[in-house]
Short mmCIF file of all heavy atoms in Angstrom, two decimals:
data_model
loop_
_atom_site.label_atom_id
_atom_site.label_comp_id
_atom_site.label_asym_id
_atom_site.label_seq_id
_atom_site.Cartn_x
_atom_site.Cartn_y
_atom_site.Cartn_z
N TYR H 129 0.82 70.31 144.67
CA TYR H 129 2.21 69.97 145.01
C TYR H 129 2.46 70.19 146.50
O TYR H 129 1.78 70.98 147.15
CB TYR H 129 3.18 70.83 144.21
CG TYR H 129 3.29 70.44 142.76
CD1 TYR H 129 2.34 70.86 141.82
CD2 TYR H 129 4.35 69.65 142.31
CE1 TYR H 129 2.44 70.48 140.49
CE2 TYR H 129 4.46 69.28 140.98
CZ TYR H 129 3.51 69.70 140.09
OH TYR H 129 3.61 69.32 138.77
N THR H 130 3.46 69.50 146.99
CA THR H 130 3.92 69.71 148.35
C THR H 130 5.43 69.89 148.35
O THR H 130 6.13 69.27 147.53
CB THR H 130 3.51 68.52 149.25
OG1 THR H 130 3.92 68.77 150.59
CG2 THR H 130 4.14 67.22 148.77
N GLU H 131 5.93 70.74 149.21
CA GLU H 131 7.37 71.00 149.29
C GLU H 131 8.09 69.84 149.97
O GLU H 131 7.50 69.10 150.75
CB GLU H 131 7.64 72.28 150.08
CG GLU H 131 7.34 73.55 149.34
CD GLU H 131 7.75 74.77 150.14
OE1 GLU H 131 7.32 74.88 151.30
OE2 GLU H 131 8.48 75.60 149.60
N ASN H 132 9.39 69.72 149.67
CA ASN H 132 10.21 68.73 150.35
C ASN H 132 11.63 69.26 150.49
O ASN H 132 12.18 69.85 149.55
CB ASN H 132 10.22 67.41 149.57
CG ASN H 132 10.96 66.32 150.32
OD1 ASN H 132 12.17 66.19 150.22
ND2 ASN H 132 10.21 65.53 151.09
N GLU H 133 12.22 69.06 151.64
CA GLU H 133 13.55 69.62 151.91
C GLU H 133 14.66 68.90 151.14
O GLU H 133 15.76 69.44 150.99
CB GLU H 133 13.86 69.56 153.40
CG GLU H 133 13.92 68.15 153.98
CD GLU H 133 14.27 68.14 155.45
OE1 GLU H 133 15.25 68.82 155.81
OE2 GLU H 133 13.58 67.45 156.23
N PHE H 134 14.39 67.70 150.65
CA PHE H 134 15.42 66.92 149.97
C PHE H 134 15.31 66.99 148.44
O PHE H 134 16.31 67.08 147.75
CB PHE H 134 15.38 65.46 150.40
CG PHE H 134 15.54 65.26 151.88
CD1 PHE H 134 14.50 64.80 152.65
CD2 PHE H 134 16.76 65.55 152.50
CE1 PHE H 134 14.64 64.62 154.02
CE2 PHE H 134 16.92 65.38 153.86
CZ PHE H 134 15.85 64.91 154.62
N TYR H 135 14.09 66.93 147.93
CA TYR H 135 13.93 66.90 146.47
C TYR H 135 13.00 68.00 145.96
O TYR H 135 12.35 67.85 144.93
CB TYR H 135 13.45 65.52 146.00
CG TYR H 135 12.36 64.88 146.83
CD1 TYR H 135 11.01 65.12 146.57
CD2 TYR H 135 12.69 64.00 147.86
CE1 TYR H 135 10.02 64.52 147.32
CE2 TYR H 135 11.70 63.38 148.61
CZ TYR H 135 10.37 63.65 148.34
OH TYR H 135 9.38 63.04 149.10
N GLU H 136 12.93 69.10 146.67
CA GLU H 136 12.20 70.32 146.30
C GLU H 136 10.69 70.20 146.44
O GLU H 136 10.07 70.90 147.22
CB GLU H 136 12.52 70.75 144.87
CG GLU H 136 13.95 71.17 144.63
CD GLU H 136 14.13 71.71 143.23
OE1 GLU H 136 13.95 70.96 142.25
OE2 GLU H 136 14.46 72.91 143.11
N TYR H 137 10.09 69.31 145.69
CA TYR H 137 8.63 69.22 145.65
C TYR H 137 8.22 67.93 144.95
O TYR H 137 9.02 67.28 144.27
CB TYR H 137 8.02 70.42 144.91
CG TYR H 137 8.68 70.67 143.57
CD1 TYR H 137 8.42 69.86 142.47
CD2 TYR H 137 9.60 71.70 143.41
CE1 TYR H 137 9.05 70.07 141.26
CE2 TYR H 137 10.23 71.92 142.20
CZ TYR H 137 9.95 71.09 141.13
OH TYR H 137 10.57 71.30 139.93
N MET H 138 6.96 67.61 145.12
CA MET H 138 6.37 66.49 144.40
C MET H 138 4.87 66.64 144.47
O MET H 138 4.34 67.44 145.24
CB MET H 138 6.80 65.15 145.01
CG MET H 138 6.54 63.95 144.11
SD MET H 138 7.30 62.46 144.73
CE MET H 138 6.87 61.32 143.40
N TYR H 139 4.16 65.88 143.66
CA TYR H 139 2.71 65.85 143.79
C TYR H 139 2.35 65.49 145.23
O TYR H 139 2.97 64.61 145.84
CB TYR H 139 2.13 64.79 142.86
CG TYR H 139 1.60 65.31 141.54
CD1 TYR H 139 1.12 64.43 140.58
CD2 TYR H 139 1.56 66.66 141.25
CE1 TYR H 139 0.62 64.88 139.37
CE2 TYR H 139 1.08 67.12 140.06
CZ TYR H 139 0.61 66.23 139.11
OH TYR H 139 0.12 66.70 137.91
N ALA H 140 1.36 66.15 145.76
CA ALA H 140 0.87 65.83 147.10
C ALA H 140 0.32 64.40 147.09
O ALA H 140 -0.25 63.95 146.09
CB ALA H 140 -0.21 66.81 147.53
N PRO H 141 0.48 63.67 148.18
CA PRO H 141 0.00 62.28 148.23
C PRO H 141 -1.52 62.20 148.32
O PRO H 141 -2.20 63.17 148.66
CB PRO H 141 0.66 61.74 149.50
CG PRO H 141 0.86 62.94 150.36
CD PRO H 141 1.17 64.07 149.42
N ASN H 155 -0.57 58.08 144.95
CA ASN H 155 -0.63 57.19 146.11
C ASN H 155 -0.07 57.88 147.34
O ASN H 155 0.24 59.08 147.31
CB ASN H 155 0.08 55.86 145.81
CG ASN H 155 1.58 56.02 145.57
OD1 ASN H 155 2.18 57.04 145.90
ND2 ASN H 155 2.18 55.00 144.98
N SER H 156 0.08 57.16 148.42
CA SER H 156 0.51 57.75 149.69
C SER H 156 1.95 58.23 149.66
O SER H 156 2.39 58.93 150.56
CB SER H 156 0.33 56.74 150.83
OG SER H 156 1.09 55.57 150.58
N LEU H 157 2.69 57.87 148.60
CA LEU H 157 4.09 58.28 148.46
C LEU H 157 4.24 59.38 147.41
O LEU H 157 5.35 59.74 147.05
CB LEU H 157 4.95 57.07 148.08
CG LEU H 157 5.01 55.97 149.15
CD1 LEU H 157 5.45 54.65 148.53
CD2 LEU H 157 5.97 56.38 150.26
N GLY H 158 3.13 59.91 146.92
CA GLY H 158 3.18 60.99 145.94
C GLY H 158 3.42 60.53 144.52
O GLY H 158 3.52 61.35 143.61
N MET H 159 3.54 59.21 144.32
CA MET H 159 3.72 58.68 142.96
C MET H 159 2.41 58.82 142.19
O MET H 159 1.33 58.69 142.77
CB MET H 159 4.08 57.20 143.00
CG MET H 159 5.31 56.83 143.77
SD MET H 159 5.45 55.02 143.78
CE MET H 159 6.86 54.80 144.88
N ILE H 175 11.07 56.65 136.29
CA ILE H 175 11.47 57.88 136.96
C ILE H 175 11.72 58.99 135.94
O ILE H 175 12.41 58.79 134.94
CB ILE H 175 12.77 57.62 137.78
CG1 ILE H 175 12.52 56.50 138.81
CG2 ILE H 175 13.26 58.88 138.45
CD1 ILE H 175 13.79 55.97 139.47
N GLY H 176 11.16 60.18 136.21
CA GLY H 176 11.39 61.27 135.27
C GLY H 176 10.73 62.56 135.70
O GLY H 176 10.52 62.80 136.89
N ILE H 213 7.40 57.68 139.34
CA ILE H 213 8.01 58.63 140.29
C ILE H 213 8.48 59.83 139.47
O ILE H 213 9.49 59.78 138.78
CB ILE H 213 9.19 57.99 141.04
CG1 ILE H 213 8.70 56.77 141.83
CG2 ILE H 213 9.86 58.98 141.96
CD1 ILE H 213 9.81 56.00 142.54
N SER H 214 7.72 60.92 139.55
CA SER H 214 8.00 62.04 138.66
C SER H 214 7.36 63.31 139.16
O SER H 214 6.45 63.29 139.98
CB SER H 214 7.46 61.73 137.25
OG SER H 214 6.05 61.53 137.31
N ALA H 215 7.84 64.43 138.65
CA ALA H 215 7.24 65.73 138.94
C ALA H 215 7.72 66.74 137.90
O ALA H 215 8.78 66.57 137.30
CB ALA H 215 7.61 66.22 140.35
N GLN H 216 6.91 67.75 137.71
CA GLN H 216 7.24 68.79 136.75
C GLN H 216 8.61 69.40 137.04
O GLN H 216 8.94 69.75 138.17
CB GLN H 216 6.18 69.89 136.81
CG GLN H 216 6.46 71.06 135.89
CD GLN H 216 5.33 72.06 135.90
OE1 GLN H 216 4.79 72.39 134.85
NE2 GLN H 216 4.94 72.55 137.06
N SER H 217 9.41 69.52 136.00
CA SER H 217 10.72 70.18 136.05
C SER H 217 11.74 69.46 136.94
O SER H 217 12.75 70.05 137.32
CB SER H 217 10.57 71.64 136.52
OG SER H 217 11.73 72.38 136.22
N TRP H 218 11.50 68.21 137.23
CA TRP H 218 12.51 67.42 137.95
C TRP H 218 13.70 67.14 137.04
O TRP H 218 13.56 66.98 135.82
CB TRP H 218 11.90 66.10 138.38
CG TRP H 218 11.48 66.05 139.82
CD1 TRP H 218 11.25 67.09 140.66
CD2 TRP H 218 11.22 64.86 140.58
NE1 TRP H 218 10.86 66.64 141.90
CE2 TRP H 218 10.83 65.27 141.88
CE3 TRP H 218 11.26 63.50 140.30
CZ2 TRP H 218 10.50 64.37 142.88
CZ3 TRP H 218 10.92 62.60 141.30
CH2 TRP H 218 10.56 63.04 142.57
N GLY H 219 14.87 67.03 137.65
CA GLY H 219 16.04 66.50 137.00
C GLY H 219 16.44 65.21 137.70
O GLY H 219 15.82 64.81 138.69
N PRO H 220 17.48 64.54 137.24
CA PRO H 220 17.93 63.30 137.89
C PRO H 220 18.29 63.49 139.35
O PRO H 220 18.16 62.54 140.14
CB PRO H 220 19.16 62.90 137.06
CG PRO H 220 18.90 63.49 135.71
CD PRO H 220 18.22 64.81 135.98
N ASP H 221 18.75 64.69 139.73
CA ASP H 221 19.10 64.89 141.15
C ASP H 221 17.86 64.91 142.03
O ASP H 221 17.88 64.39 143.15
CB ASP H 221 19.93 66.17 141.34
CG ASP H 221 19.31 67.42 140.74
OD1 ASP H 221 18.28 67.31 140.05
OD2 ASP H 221 19.87 68.51 140.95
N ASN H 222 16.76 65.51 141.55
CA ASN H 222 15.49 65.44 142.30
C ASN H 222 15.09 63.98 142.50
O ASN H 222 14.73 63.56 143.62
CB ASN H 222 14.35 66.12 141.54
CG ASN H 222 14.56 67.60 141.32
OD1 ASN H 222 15.20 67.98 140.36
ND2 ASN H 222 13.99 68.42 142.18
N ALA H 223 15.15 63.23 141.40
CA ALA H 223 14.71 61.84 141.43
C ALA H 223 15.58 61.01 142.37
O ALA H 223 15.07 60.18 143.14
CB ALA H 223 14.74 61.26 140.02
N PHE H 224 16.89 61.23 142.31
CA PHE H 224 17.77 60.45 143.19
C PHE H 224 17.54 60.82 144.65
O PHE H 224 17.58 59.96 145.53
CB PHE H 224 19.23 60.66 142.81
CG PHE H 224 20.16 59.77 143.59
CD1 PHE H 224 20.24 58.42 143.31
CD2 PHE H 224 20.92 60.28 144.64
CE1 PHE H 224 21.07 57.58 144.05
CE2 PHE H 224 21.75 59.46 145.38
CZ PHE H 224 21.83 58.10 145.08
N ALA H 225 17.30 62.10 144.92
CA ALA H 225 17.02 62.52 146.29
C ALA H 225 15.75 61.87 146.81
O ALA H 225 15.65 61.53 148.00
CB ALA H 225 16.91 64.05 146.36
N TYR H 226 14.77 61.69 145.93
CA TYR H 226 13.54 60.99 146.33
C TYR H 226 13.86 59.55 146.72
O TYR H 226 13.39 59.05 147.75
CB TYR H 226 12.52 61.02 145.19
CG TYR H 226 11.24 60.28 145.51
CD1 TYR H 226 10.15 60.94 146.05
CD2 TYR H 226 11.13 58.91 145.27
CE1 TYR H 226 8.98 60.27 146.37
CE2 TYR H 226 9.97 58.22 145.58
CZ TYR H 226 8.90 58.90 146.13
OH TYR H 226 7.74 58.21 146.45
N ILE H 227 14.65 58.88 145.90
CA ILE H 227 15.03 57.48 146.19
C ILE H 227 15.80 57.39 147.50
O ILE H 227 15.56 56.49 148.32
CB ILE H 227 15.85 56.89 145.03
CG1 ILE H 227 15.02 56.83 143.74
CG2 ILE H 227 16.38 55.50 145.39
CD1 ILE H 227 13.77 55.98 143.82
N LYS H 228 16.72 58.30 147.71
CA LYS H 228 17.50 58.30 148.96
C LYS H 228 16.60 58.54 150.16
O LYS H 228 16.83 58.00 151.25
CB LYS H 228 18.60 59.37 148.90
CG LYS H 228 19.73 59.04 147.95
CD LYS H 228 20.58 57.87 148.44
CE LYS H 228 21.45 58.25 149.61
NZ LYS H 228 22.32 57.15 150.06
N SER H 229 15.59 59.37 149.99
CA SER H 229 14.70 59.72 151.09
C SER H 229 13.66 58.63 151.35
O SER H 229 13.39 58.27 152.50
CB SER H 229 14.00 61.05 150.79
OG SER H 229 13.02 61.34 151.76
N GLN H 230 13.06 58.11 150.28
CA GLN H 230 11.94 57.19 150.41
C GLN H 230 12.32 55.72 150.27
O GLN H 230 11.56 54.84 150.70
CB GLN H 230 10.87 57.53 149.35
CG GLN H 230 10.35 58.95 149.42
CD GLN H 230 9.43 59.19 150.61
OE1 GLN H 230 9.13 58.28 151.37
NE2 GLN H 230 9.02 60.43 150.80
N GLY H 231 13.48 55.44 149.66
CA GLY H 231 13.88 54.06 149.42
C GLY H 231 13.62 53.65 147.99
O GLY H 231 13.02 54.39 147.21
N PHE H 233 12.10 50.63 147.26
CA PHE H 233 10.91 49.78 147.28
C PHE H 233 11.19 48.39 146.71
O PHE H 233 10.31 47.75 146.12
CB PHE H 233 9.77 50.45 146.50
CG PHE H 233 9.57 51.89 146.87
CD1 PHE H 233 9.98 52.92 146.02
CD2 PHE H 233 9.03 52.24 148.10
CE1 PHE H 233 9.82 54.25 146.37
CE2 PHE H 233 8.87 53.58 148.47
CZ PHE H 233 9.26 54.58 147.60
N ASP H 249 19.96 70.11 134.41
CA ASP H 249 18.78 70.64 135.10
C ASP H 249 18.87 70.36 136.59
O ASP H 249 18.27 69.41 137.10
CB ASP H 249 17.51 70.02 134.50
CG ASP H 249 16.24 70.63 135.07
OD1 ASP H 249 16.34 71.65 135.78
OD2 ASP H 249 15.15 70.10 134.79
N ASN H 250 19.59 71.21 137.31
CA ASN H 250 19.87 70.98 138.73
C ASN H 250 18.77 71.53 139.64
O ASN H 250 18.05 72.47 139.28
CB ASN H 250 21.20 71.65 139.10
CG ASN H 250 22.36 71.05 138.33
OD1 ASN H 250 22.76 69.92 138.56
ND2 ASN H 250 22.88 71.81 137.38
N MET H 251 18.68 70.97 140.84
CA MET H 251 17.73 71.47 141.82
C MET H 251 18.07 72.92 142.18
O MET H 251 19.23 73.29 142.23
CB MET H 251 17.76 70.60 143.09
CG MET H 251 17.12 69.24 142.91
SD MET H 251 16.85 68.35 144.47
CE MET H 251 18.51 67.76 144.81
N HIS H 252 17.02 73.72 142.43
CA HIS H 252 17.23 75.15 142.67
C HIS H 252 16.65 75.62 144.00
O HIS H 252 17.03 76.67 144.51
CB HIS H 252 16.58 75.96 141.54
CG HIS H 252 15.17 75.55 141.23
ND1 HIS H 252 14.10 75.86 142.03
CD2 HIS H 252 14.68 74.81 140.22
CE1 HIS H 252 13.00 75.35 141.52
NE2 HIS H 252 13.31 74.70 140.42
N PHE H 253 15.69 74.84 144.58
CA PHE H 253 15.07 75.19 145.87
C PHE H 253 14.62 76.66 145.89
O PHE H 253 14.94 77.41 146.80
CB PHE H 253 16.03 74.90 147.02
CG PHE H 253 16.28 73.43 147.22
CD1 PHE H 253 17.42 72.84 146.70
CD2 PHE H 253 15.38 72.65 147.92
CE1 PHE H 253 17.65 71.48 146.86
CE2 PHE H 253 15.60 71.29 148.09
CZ PHE H 253 16.75 70.70 147.57
N LYS H 254 13.85 77.04 144.89
CA LYS H 254 13.39 78.42 144.74
C LYS H 254 12.04 78.70 145.41
O LYS H 254 11.46 79.75 145.20
CB LYS H 254 13.32 78.79 143.25
CG LYS H 254 14.68 79.00 142.60
CD LYS H 254 15.23 80.36 142.95
CE LYS H 254 16.49 80.65 142.14
NZ LYS H 254 16.98 82.01 142.36
N ASN H 255 11.55 77.76 146.18
CA ASN H 255 10.30 77.98 146.93
C ASN H 255 9.14 78.33 146.01
O ASN H 255 8.45 79.33 146.18
CB ASN H 255 10.50 79.08 147.98
CG ASN H 255 9.33 79.13 148.97
OD1 ASN H 255 8.69 78.12 149.23
ND2 ASN H 255 9.08 80.30 149.52
N VAL H 256 8.94 77.48 145.00
CA VAL H 256 7.90 77.76 144.01
C VAL H 256 6.52 77.22 144.42
O VAL H 256 5.50 77.71 143.93
CB VAL H 256 8.28 77.16 142.64
CG1 VAL H 256 9.49 77.86 142.08
CG2 VAL H 256 8.50 75.65 142.73
N VAL H 257 6.48 76.24 145.31
CA VAL H 257 5.21 75.61 145.67
C VAL H 257 4.31 76.62 146.38
O VAL H 257 4.69 77.21 147.40
CB VAL H 257 5.42 74.38 146.56
CG1 VAL H 257 4.08 73.81 147.03
CG2 VAL H 257 6.22 73.31 145.82
N TRP H 263 2.96 75.39 140.27
CA TRP H 263 3.09 74.48 141.41
C TRP H 263 2.08 74.86 142.49
O TRP H 263 2.44 75.33 143.56
CB TRP H 263 4.50 74.53 141.99
CG TRP H 263 5.54 73.88 141.13
CD1 TRP H 263 5.95 72.59 141.18
CD2 TRP H 263 6.32 74.50 140.10
NE1 TRP H 263 6.92 72.35 140.24
CE2 TRP H 263 7.16 73.51 139.56
CE3 TRP H 263 6.36 75.80 139.57
CZ2 TRP H 263 8.05 73.78 138.53
CZ3 TRP H 263 7.23 76.06 138.54
CH2 TRP H 263 8.07 75.06 138.04
N PHE H 313 22.90 57.85 140.29
CA PHE H 313 22.13 56.69 139.84
C PHE H 313 23.04 55.58 139.34
O PHE H 313 22.80 54.40 139.63
CB PHE H 313 21.13 57.09 138.75
CG PHE H 313 19.79 57.51 139.26
CD1 PHE H 313 19.32 58.81 139.07
CD2 PHE H 313 18.97 56.62 139.95
CE1 PHE H 313 18.07 59.19 139.54
CE2 PHE H 313 17.71 57.01 140.43
CZ PHE H 313 17.27 58.30 140.22
#
Side-chain angles (χ1 to χ4, degrees):
Y129 286 81
T130 183
E131 285 185 307
N132 185 274
E133 62 178 312
F134 302 112
Y135 43 88
E136 295 186 296
Y137 49 76
M138 196 170 183
Y139 262 176
N155 64 17
S156 59
L157 295 160
M159 302 175 186
I175 301 168
I213 300 176
S214 60
Q216 178 175 235
S217 197
W218 260 19
D221 53 353
N222 297 85
F224 186 74
Y226 178 92
I227 296 299
K228 289 291 287 182
S229 173
Q230 303 287 356
F233 313 105
D249 186 9
N250 298 289
M251 287 192 282
H252 49 75
F253 292 98
K254 286 281 188 175
N255 192 29
V256 294
V257 175
W263 288 269
F313 270 116

